[in-house]
């Protein structure tokens, strides 16, 4: 299992090189774009120029999408919740130019539309190298996980299993080892401009690596007004999870992990934000 999966909850490496690339959807044009990571945090040069993966991912056909390694081969696939056509998976087996050439229908056994789930993300909850599907039920604070049972080129998912309970106004941003325990935490954006993490259990995981036991909440970032927190990624390439947000002026900003987590001072976990992109206002889905 790669370090990237341990720290950031999943791999977003489209080229299989372990670097955390970013995939976005332009809401207005329907373009799906990939921003390959250069391998280090370097301001506006952190990511390469975007590569157009497809022009057919507009909001009339795609409700939600994310990237993650569904098969354990080290390459991030693209998982899509369509409008009226169920869930689709674009297997990543070659290069970016052919990434959406073949799509597979994936039966998750669960309605993942916004009518059923307020927010959805991908994360390797059990640590087996394959991402699972995590979502917060619409109208409730209940977070559930559909465990990925991929084997022998067959995709299968468990029935939804309870994972955590949030406030009704919480929005799940990602899962990552923010607290540096070797286990994934739940990263949540809260009303009032605060980002918080839920450490599932200080006593370890349950059967099969599934989180078990009581947990603890920690505030980690006081988010400035006008910033939309969009995800968790290893932006500086140090193996620890960083946070991504988009400012009102369209700048993509990264909050680097400080390398320490102190329960008595959790707001020291992340460093001040660094601008790593501009012109991101048109991107509504950022992974």
């Amino acid at each position: 299992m790669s370090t990237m999966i341990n720290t950031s909850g999943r791999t977003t490496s489209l080229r299989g090189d372990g670097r955390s690339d970013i995939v976005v959807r332009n809401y207005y044009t329907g373009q799906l774009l990939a921003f390959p990571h250069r391998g280090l945090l370097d301001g506006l040069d952190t990511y390469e120029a975007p590569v157009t993966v497809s022009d057919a991912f507009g909001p009339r056909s795609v409700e939600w999408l994310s990237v993650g390694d569904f098969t354990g081969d080290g390459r991030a696939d693209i998982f899509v919740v369509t409008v009226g056509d169920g869930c689709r998976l674009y297997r990543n087996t070659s290069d970016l130019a052919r990434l959406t050439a073949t799509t597979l229908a994936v039966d998750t056994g669960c309605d993942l539309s916004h009518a059923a789930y307020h927010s959805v993300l991908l994360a390797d909850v059990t640590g087996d190298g394959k991402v699972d599907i995590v979502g917060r039920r619409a109208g409730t604070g209940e977070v559930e996980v559909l465990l990925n049972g991929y084997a022998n080129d067959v995709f299968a998912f468990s029935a939804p299993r309870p994972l955590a309970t949030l406030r009704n106004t919480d929005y799940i941003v990602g899962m990552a080892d923010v607290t540096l325990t070797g286990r994934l935490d739940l990263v949540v954006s809260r009303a009032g401009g605060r980002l918080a993490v839920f450490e599932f259990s200080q006593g370890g995981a349950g059967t099969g690596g599934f989180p078990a036991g009581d947990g603890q909440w920690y505030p980690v970032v006081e988010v400035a007004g006008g910033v939309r927190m969009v995800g968790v990624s290893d932006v500086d390439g140090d193996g620890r999870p960083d946070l991504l947000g988009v400012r009102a002026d369209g700048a993509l900003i990264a909050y680097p992990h400080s390398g320490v987590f102190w329960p008595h001072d959790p707001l020291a976990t992340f460093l001040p934000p660094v601008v790593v992109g501009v012109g991101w206002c048109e991107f509504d889905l950022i992974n």
Side-chain angles (χ1 to χ4, degrees):
M1 182 172 30
S2 72
T3 300
M4 197 69 64
I5 293 174
N6 275 328
T7 59
S8 299
R10 62 190 167 125
T11 179
T12 58
S13 176
L14 297 172
R15 295 173 172 173
D17 56 9
R19 297 176 180 176
S20 294
D21 307 317
I22 296 181
V23 175
V24 305
R25 193 265 298 275
N26 187 311
Y27 179 86
Y28 300 101
T29 67
Q31 285 184 314
L32 186 69
L33 303 172
F35 289 79
H37 198 293
R38 294 185 185 274
L40 73 165
L41 176 59
D42 189 19
L44 296 180
D45 290 324
T46 300
Y47 299 95
E48 297 178 19
V51 177
T52 300
V53 178
S54 174
D55 293 315
F57 276 70
R60 292 187 178 182
S61 58
V62 171
E63 183 168 308
W64 177 81
L65 66 90
S66 189
V67 295
D69 183 1
F70 275 81
T71 65
D73 65 359
R75 288 177 176 266
D77 309 298
I78 300 177
F79 182 79
V80 176
V81 178
T82 70
V83 178
D85 194 26
C87 298
R88 316 290 297 186
L89 183 70
Y90 294 89
R91 288 285 304 274
N92 184 3
T93 58
S94 54
D95 53 53
L96 295 182
R98 301 177 58 191
L99 187 54
T100 57
T102 303
T103 176
L104 304 172
V106 177
D107 182 10
T108 64
C110 186
D111 177 12
L112 294 177
S113 70
H114 290 322
Y117 284 92
H118 174 267
S119 46
V120 184
L121 59 86
L122 301 179
D124 182 11
V125 174
T126 60
D128 64 357
K130 302 185 293 288
V131 290
D132 309 296
I133 301 171
V134 178
R136 202 208 83 188
R137 280 281 178 183
T140 77
E142 299 306 312
V143 178
E144 300 172 336
V145 58
L146 284 65
L147 298 178
N148 181 356
Y150 172 84
N152 301 319
D153 213 30
V154 176
F155 292 93
F157 293 87
S158 72
R161 295 179 57 173
L163 191 61
T165 301
L166 311 181
R167 301 173 184 175
N168 281 0
T169 54
D170 289 344
Y171 186 92
I172 52 177
V173 174
M175 291 187 72
D177 183 15
V178 173
T179 58
L180 305 181
T181 61
R183 302 182 300 272
L184 298 185
D185 310 303
L186 191 63
V187 183
V188 170
S189 179
R190 309 203 111 159
R194 172 170 283 186
L195 207 76
V197 299
F198 181 71
E199 183 183 24
F200 281 96
S201 172
Q202 297 184 25
T207 304
F210 194 78
D214 296 332
Q216 176 70 44
W217 282 103
Y218 297 100
V220 291
V221 175
E222 296 288 355
V223 182
V227 174
R228 173 171 60 106
M229 300 305 296
V230 296
V232 181
S233 183
D234 184 8
V235 179
D236 56 12
D238 66 357
R240 290 184 288 266
D242 311 308
L243 304 175
L244 288 172
V246 177
R247 289 194 321 218
D249 63 359
L252 178 69
I253 58 175
Y255 295 79
H257 198 290
S258 66
V260 299
F261 177 79
W262 298 321
H264 64 280
D265 186 15
L267 290 173
T269 305
F270 292 95
L271 302 175
V274 179
V275 176
V276 294
V278 293
W280 285 61
C281 281
E282 296 182 344
F283 304 146
D284 65 329
L285 299 176
I286 299 174
N287 294 271

